[in-house]
Amino acid sequence: MTEGGEQGASGPSSSDGLMEKVVNLCKRRGFIFPSAEIYGGFRSTYDYGPLGVNMLRNVKDAWWRSMVRLRDDVVGLDAAILSPAAIWAASGHLENFTDPLVDCRQCHERWRADKIEGVCPNCGSTDFTEPRSFNLMFKTHAGPVEDEGTVAYLRPETAQGMFTNFANVLVTSRKRPPFGIAQIGKSFRNEITPQNFVFRTREFEQMEMEYFVPPAEAPAWFDYWLAERHRWYLDLGIPEDQIRIRHHERDELSHYSSQTADIEFLFPWGWDELEGVANRGDFDLQAHILGSGERLEYFDQASGERYVPYVIEPAAGATRAMMAFLLSSYAEDEVAGESRTVLHLDWRLAPTQVAVLPLSRKEELEGISRRVLAMLQPLYLCDYDTTQSIGRRYRRQDEVGTPWCVTIDFGSLEDGAVTVRDRDTTEQVRCPIDGLAAELSSRTASS
Ligand code: GAP
């Protein structure tokens, strides 16, 4: 079975070259590698390299900071990935988490019927088998016996762990609605056509929050979270004209949702989903009440009121968001007559935030340079690079989005000062080593 874009860019995205450039940069500079490459790759799975792992962690940290750490109404959770069939029977995923699968009768490729507009992307044929429902969950067995009783699933979303732990979290955290449970972690979907680099893969990371509210307050909280999540992307540098909100039509809604809006990004192939914000009503808690027989409700001692909260869910993809940040920050420009590639990443997302660059490899500079590095490492993600000319090192740092380079030269031995270079303006200023932490901190505050 061939799947579009398994090894990289595909479709209309290829036309302006941005996708290929970013995919190449990711491979060349150690952001993202095709998985199991030495064995010929493995079906649309990817490994995050030294820079990619930093950047992906930064994306997740920025989300956690805004959704959990800076709030007193949201708490965190890290639930298991392996889960019993009972959860997915109750949630409706066993029955409903399907895509329509068709086979092309001419070339025998398999496709998601709703994505190909009746024409086989491989051979152009319009002769297909009848669509049949294909469940996207990865099924396995827990333990050495493979029978119906040991069937387990890799979670296709992090959300259910937050519903099944609702009562545990309510009791232990002493929160009351409105309050949220947030989780970041891997999810797995046996996508029929994984596509467009890390946009749609079978293994990916989600950042989801379930916000439990009194039912009457659900519409207002939906509006609040939609605006809040839109603002998060803008704050981290996605330009306003590359992001939009699209409300779902009634016939588009998932089986659990009464209201959904997507936050969409202008990907090279057009507008596509970055994050969904849904009003899930009490669908999930009621489903698990029915499935488990447990009481998943809130009892307000003051008013004597007992109710099953409604849920507003902002559901984002960490890997998909990272891709959007890479695409929107990529630029090619000219500096002093020389062309360069640059990622204009917000400093909070940059995989290296400060590069410490001794002008020469000579021993005299090593001690002072390493002292500067040791001073900055607890504060920022740092790189230490002594190879090649300083100009080439600046270009290498620009290409991976490093906002600031700190250069130590022979003058530094005399005056105890270093040069700080800004990625975007390429402006260089001299700064005493004693004042370096304050200088960088003032730049992070103003950027
Ligand atoms: N709990 C609701 C839920 O999972 P979803 O719209 O299916 O909703 C939420 O997924 C987000 O997860 C998406 O907006 C997307 O960013 C990310 N996502 C979903 N499927 C993905 C895949 N196959 N590859 C990468 N990211 C994916």
Side-chain angles (χ1 to χ4, degrees):
M1 174 168 117
T2 309
E3 288 133 338
E6 282 218 326
Q7 296 303 322
S10 72
S13 51
S14 311
S15 60
D16 69 358
L18 174 62
M19 188 78 164
E20 279 87 350
K21 286 175 182 170
V22 169
V23 171
N24 289 342
L25 189 148
C26 282
K27 169 87 201 297
R28 192 161 37 80
R29 298 306 311 274
F31 282 82
I32 301 174
F33 308 123
S35 205
E37 205 181 5
I38 60 167
Y39 292 103
F42 178 58
R43 308 209 137 236
S44 203
T45 51
Y46 292 92
D47 299 339
Y48 289 72
L51 294 185
V53 79
N54 275 3
M55 183 170 172
L56 185 58
R57 187 165 292 187
N58 289 344
V59 171
K60 293 186 283 186
D61 284 350
W63 187 89
W64 195 262
R65 184 178 160 80
S66 109
M67 299 296 278
V68 183
R69 195 172 147 190
L70 297 182
R71 305 188 65 103
D72 62 5
D73 58 347
V74 179
V75 293
L77 184 77
D78 192 357
I81 289 172
L82 263 185
S83 36
I87 289 183
W88 308 105
S91 69
H93 282 75
L94 277 180
E95 195 179 337
N96 297 313
F97 200 59
T98 57
D99 278 339
L101 176 70
V102 290
D103 290 1
C104 170
R105 285 207 171 97
Q106 185 143 327
C107 70
H108 307 294
E109 298 291 335
R110 289 191 160 160
W111 303 102
R112 227 177 105 173
D114 58 330
K115 294 282 177 192
I116 56 170
E117 292 169 0
V119 183
C120 175
N122 189 44
C123 70
S125 165
T126 52
D127 188 12
F128 292 102
T129 56
E130 280 304 304
R132 56 197 185 282
S133 290
F134 175 73
N135 196 293
L136 300 184
M137 284 197 294
F138 278 100
K139 191 176 181 177
T140 185
H141 290 270
V145 182
E146 293 200 3
D147 62 23
E148 268 313 296
T150 61
V151 167
Y153 291 90
L154 301 190
R155 66 181 177 202
E157 61 172 15
T158 60
Q160 296 305 320
M162 297 183 267
F163 300 126
T164 55
N165 279 292
F166 172 76
N168 283 337
V169 174
L170 191 68
V171 168
T172 54
S173 70
R174 307 183 67 82
K175 296 286 174 203
R176 44 178 299 175
F179 83 100
I181 308 177
Q183 182 170 204
I184 297 178
K186 289 230 170 172
S187 292
F188 300 81
R189 296 181 189 178
N190 198 1
E191 300 281 1
I192 298 169
T193 46
Q195 235 166 3
N196 287 326
F197 197 37
V198 295
F199 177 80
R200 182 174 292 110
T201 48
R202 297 197 173 110
E203 173 177 348
F204 54 97
E205 262 188 291
Q206 289 189 304
M207 312 184 286
E208 298 196 288
M209 197 268 286
E210 310 302 326
Y211 200 70
F212 300 92
V213 302
E217 294 179 20
W221 282 112
F222 176 85
D223 293 344
Y224 169 85
W225 280 111
L226 186 55
E228 191 61 17
R229 294 301 307 145
H230 183 232
R231 190 194 57 74
W232 184 80
Y233 292 101
L234 293 173
D235 178 50
L236 285 170
I238 302 271
E240 256 178 82
D241 60 355
Q242 289 178 23
I243 190 161
R244 73 176 187 190
I245 289 172
R246 187 181 69 79
H247 289 267
H248 280 209
E249 304 292 337
R250 288 245 133 239
D251 61 358
E252 264 186 280
L253 294 174
S254 312
H255 63 275
Y256 51 74
S257 171
S258 62
Q259 192 183 8
T260 298
D262 284 346
I263 299 175
E264 295 187 331
F265 175 72
L266 189 54
F267 285 94
W269 59 90
W271 291 101
D272 218 330
E273 177 183 338
L274 203 48
E275 165 161 358
V277 180
N279 177 353
R280 297 178 74 123
D282 60 359
F283 178 90
D284 304 275
L285 289 179
Q286 293 289 10
H288 289 300
I289 290 169
L290 204 64
S292 68
E294 294 292 322
R295 276 191 150 173
L296 305 176
E297 58 190 18
Y298 175 69
F299 175 62
D300 188 337
Q301 283 184 328
S303 68
E305 200 191 353
R306 188 181 289 283
Y307 64 88
V308 176
Y310 274 26
V311 171
I312 306 303
E313 175 196 67
T319 36
R320 198 176 281 188
M322 173 171 159
M323 183 174 163
F325 288 121
L326 284 169
L327 286 165
S328 68
S329 65
Y330 183 96
E332 289 164 3
D333 62 12
E334 232 178 63
V335 172
E338 225 189 280
S339 63
R340 71 164 180 171
T341 298
V342 55
L343 294 181
H344 292 288
L345 288 171
D346 184 282
W347 76 272
R348 291 166 289 182
L349 303 179
T352 299
Q353 293 159 332
V354 184
V356 176
L357 310 175
L359 192 65
S360 141
R361 276 175 151 165
K362 291 223 166 78
E363 221 176 281
E364 301 99 284
L365 290 189
E366 170 139 14
I368 184 172
S369 301
R370 291 219 166 260
R371 276 200 299 283
V372 170
L373 178 68
M375 183 181 94
L376 295 178
Q377 271 173 330
L379 305 172
Y380 300 103
L381 292 164
C382 293
D383 185 20
Y384 185 76
D385 186 6
T386 57
T387 59
Q388 301 183 314
S389 74
I390 193 68
R392 294 189 88 167
R393 278 183 274 165
Y394 285 153
R395 292 296 103 81
R396 282 175 59 77
Q397 296 297 338
D398 290 342
E399 193 181 36
V400 298
T402 307
W404 301 293
C405 290
V406 170
T407 306
I408 296 102
D409 55 30
F410 292 98
S412 307
L413 295 169
E414 309 294 322
D415 64 2
V418 293
T419 303
V420 179
R421 173 188 180 269
D422 183 279
R423 171 196 69 201
D424 296 337
T425 61
T426 71
E427 206 174 74
Q428 304 189 14
V429 298
R430 200 78 184 151
C431 172
I433 291 172
D434 287 349
L436 188 54
E439 169 68 27
L440 290 170
S441 154
S442 76
R443 289 173 185 236
T444 61
S446 63
S447 70

